[in-house]
Amino acid sequence: MTTAPIDTHPLRMLAAAVAGSPVAISYLTEPGAPAWTDGERIFLSAERQAGEGGRELLVQCALLAGDALKGVGLRSLVGSIEQRQRFLLLEVERCCARISERLPRAFLDALAPYGTNLRPQDSGESLRMARSRVRLPRPPEWYGTLQPWAVLRRTVRGGGRSMDARKLEQLESRIGALEENEEDGDDDALVRNPFWKLLSSPLGKDGFFARFMREIFDMQSSPDKAAADSGIEGSSEMVSGRASRHALDVTKALRSGLAVAIPSGLLAPEGGAHSYPEWDSGKGRYRPGWASVEEVAPAAEEPFFDASLLDGSADMALLRALAGLCLGFRRHSGQMAGDDLVLDRLIRLAVDLRTGHSGDDRIYSASLRTRRDLGVMILLDASSSTLEGSRGDRVIDRQVRAAWKLCQTFDRLGDRVAMYGFHSWGRTLVRFQHLKAFDERFGADTRNRMHRLSVAGYTRSGAAIRHATELLDAHSGTPFKLLLLISDGYPYDDQYEGEYADLDTRKALEEARARGVACLCLSLGSDAEAARLERAWGSANYLAIGNATEMATRLRGAVERALSTAARRSHATAA
């Protein structure tokens, strides 16, 4: 009689006891990385001290046991770090109270200073409280964090594949064919982690799996000075800066084991993608070729908004407000006054007068400001954070109405106008949805593409702005260029949030202005604070309005300021 093997890993046994079911545990190599869970697996910091590490594990297990990631719309947590931390604080309190009989008394005592006494009944009530103005304590570091992106990405259609041996083989061959990125000074530092020592044999001979994993992650297994000093032979070290761009994307998944979901986009190259750098504010330098943008046709099976939003004639007030923008001189004949005579009209007038007719005395030509010299790119934020609110008055409804009116108005005025929607699922999956190109007519085809606009994912604004700038520069064919970004004001994506996202967005706007492209962000019906908008867009480059009807009175001045700022920056760069 044989018995089933018993899992003797103490943390997994503790996690299963607290969560009520078996739980997988993985370790994060980033120094000081907060703990989190994707609903199936718990990720803990490998460098956390034993006491804090135990508390981190209990917190994440409580979230799993209390279904904190299942009973609330995770899209509502995208974009605001503060709101996510408030929600986390309330959910930890609720979930721990629910399973208090399973938790150690010392852990419950450690939770006490962060109690709120609000007693939410479910995750939905916790979310409402997190959005309110109720004063809440700040959670400690060992509470970890929430990463809604990691949970939502599993549900994307075609977005995940089980990592079996065959796909691992495909991935190995793919990574082997990739070119290595340029080595970075800071990234070349060796990151030592006890987890990776499991891949080395204490006898100095490694097995096939150890050699294979080191090849994927560009690891070295050889005694070094630190290893010799500590008495460890065959220590494993990983050189993070030498891994290829695609290998870095799957590092976390491979660390977690083989039965995990890997985005299908990482197993097959994106067709027609454009690569752009991204500004790393922490290191004060660019990450070359970091984000990939692909132009696609809108493919939503059902409209995300009411079709009546696109009905109605042109907004005459908006038409009058924008009519005088960026006019160039054009020569006109048949004028009552001017700086030159038109010979054929002069002869016709002389003949009419000789034959007894009054004649037409409009015999001059003059240069008048009537030529439209403006190229406009309308960039519509189509991320899932715009779906909040009641249907008909959501952020996406206001944004679609504004984008349609602006495109209709600029086209009626004779400007060259293009319109695209965008969203992202990480740095390698930025989607640029084609609604209207510069050389296309505004009409039924544009309307049909708007109806099929897909609203999902997140907002990697920097990559979208850089691609829009390229299109404006290459295809507008006008001396004045304007980029109108219609967004809720929250740049956010996987590993793209907070100050990092805001400063990369601002850097992309600076790059555009240096090339003579005026940039203006319209924030419609968003709850984003003015300080947050100013940090991302700059004080002179955003306009927060309640709805599309306010554009007629406020847009003209904002566009003129943006054009003036871009002109000054372009001249300064040229000088």
Side-chain angles (χ1 to χ4, degrees), residues 555-575:
L555 185 60
R556 170 68 181 264
V559 171
E560 288 179 336
R561 289 193 297 272
L563 290 167
S564 176
T565 301
R568 290 197 301 269
R569 180 61 185 273
S570 179
H571 292 157
T573 302

Side-chain angles (χ1 to χ4, degrees), residues 29 46 77 84 86 118 309 314 326 333 427 446 449 494 563:
T29 61
L77 301 176
R84 285 210 309 275
R86 287 167 62 88
L118 296 177
L309 292 176
C326 300
S333 61
R427 65 184 182 89
T446 310
R449 285 190 287 267
D494 179 40
L563 290 167

Side-chain angles (χ1 to χ4, degrees), residues 39-216:
E40 296 181 1
R41 180 178 295 272
I42 293 176
F43 296 87
L44 299 176
S45 172
E47 296 186 352
R48 195 75 68 195
Q49 296 177 359
E52 290 189 356
R55 290 199 294 262
E56 282 184 341
L57 176 67
L58 293 175
V59 167
Q60 301 304 318
C61 289
L63 293 176
L64 291 178
D67 294 332
L69 302 179
K70 296 180 180 179
V72 66
L74 293 179
R75 292 175 177 175
S76 305
L77 301 176
V78 173
S80 174
I81 300 175
E82 181 67 24
Q83 183 173 299
R84 285 210 309 275
Q85 293 302 101
R86 287 167 62 88
F87 174 78
L88 175 64
L89 179 76
L90 293 166
E91 278 298 274
V92 169
E93 181 179 18
R94 180 185 71 83
C95 295
C96 289
R98 180 175 171 180
I99 61 168
S100 58
E101 70 282 355
R102 306 181 201 170
L103 299 172
R105 172 52 56 186
F107 175 71
L108 295 176
D109 292 341
L111 292 176
Y114 308 100
T116 65
N117 295 321
L118 296 177
R119 297 183 176 86
Q121 298 301 310
D122 52 36
S123 56
E125 188 173 348
S126 295
L127 179 60
R128 288 190 293 273
M129 291 179 181
R131 287 177 165 179
S132 69
R133 298 183 179 274
V134 177
R135 185 182 297 276
L136 298 176
R138 190 173 188 84
E141 290 186 3
W142 50 268
Y143 268 42
T145 187
L146 291 176
Q147 293 199 14
W149 181 93
V151 182
L152 286 174
R153 190 163 186 173
R154 292 180 177 275
T155 64
V156 181
R157 183 180 303 172
R161 297 182 181 178
S162 180
M163 186 67 150
D164 56 19
R166 181 179 59 84
K167 295 181 179 66
L168 189 62
E169 204 170 86
Q170 294 177 357
L171 186 60
E172 181 192 16
S173 61
R174 169 98 192 257
I175 294 176
L178 292 172
E179 295 182 355
E180 293 183 350
N181 286 339
E182 292 183 2
E183 296 183 3
D184 292 330
D186 292 342
D187 286 341
D188 276 341
L190 300 180
V191 180
R192 185 179 298 102
N193 192 298
F195 174 77
W196 297 108
K197 295 173 185 174
L198 298 175
L199 300 182
S200 293
S201 168
L203 301 178
K205 294 187 177 181
D206 298 326
F208 167 79
F209 183 72
R211 293 194 302 272
F212 173 58
M213 293 295 285
R214 285 202 307 275
E215 288 174 3
I216 286 183

Side-chain angles (χ1 to χ4, degrees), residues 248-422:
L248 287 176
D249 284 333
V250 299
T251 299
K252 184 182 293 183
L254 289 178
R255 287 188 190 130
S256 304
L258 300 184
V260 297
I262 292 223
S264 57
L266 300 179
L267 296 179
E270 300 288 344
H274 305 263
S275 296
Y276 294 97
E278 196 165 272
W279 178 252
D280 187 338
S281 57
K283 296 180 179 178
R285 62 185 181 188
Y286 285 100
R287 290 176 162 180
W290 192 252
S292 296
V293 180
E294 184 183 15
E295 294 185 28
V296 298
E301 296 179 358
E302 295 182 0
F304 280 85
F305 52 86
D306 194 334
S308 62
L309 292 176
L310 309 184
D311 294 339
S313 57
D315 188 332
M316 298 308 297
L318 184 61
L319 199 68
R320 288 192 293 270
L322 301 178
L325 283 174
C326 300
L327 294 177
F329 285 102
R330 175 177 291 168
R331 199 72 182 174
H332 293 267
S333 61
Q335 302 297 310
M336 294 293 295
D339 53 13
D340 200 2
L341 291 168
V342 181
L343 185 58
D344 58 340
R345 285 181 170 271
L346 180 62
I347 294 174
R348 189 179 301 116
L349 175 61
V351 171
D352 288 341
L353 292 176
R354 290 291 182 92
T355 57
H357 298 84
S358 59
D360 185 356
D361 56 357
R362 292 177 296 182
I363 59 175
Y364 294 95
S365 66
S367 294
L368 304 178
R369 284 186 176 272
T370 58
R371 188 182 72 239
R372 304 294 301 185
D373 279 347
L374 182 62
V376 183
M377 167 70 75
I378 299 172
L379 194 54
L380 177 61
D381 177 2
S383 62
S384 57
S385 62
T386 63
L387 293 171
E388 296 182 8
S390 57
R391 192 171 181 90
D393 193 36
R394 301 168 302 176
V395 174
I396 188 62
D397 298 319
R398 300 184 185 189
Q399 291 185 173
V400 165
R401 186 184 297 112
W404 184 258
K405 283 184 176 293
L406 285 169
C407 190
Q408 187 180 45
T409 299
F410 282 116
D411 183 78
R412 179 74 66 89
L413 289 171
D415 294 316
R416 286 178 59 77
V417 59
M419 182 163 57
Y420 290 82
F422 79 97

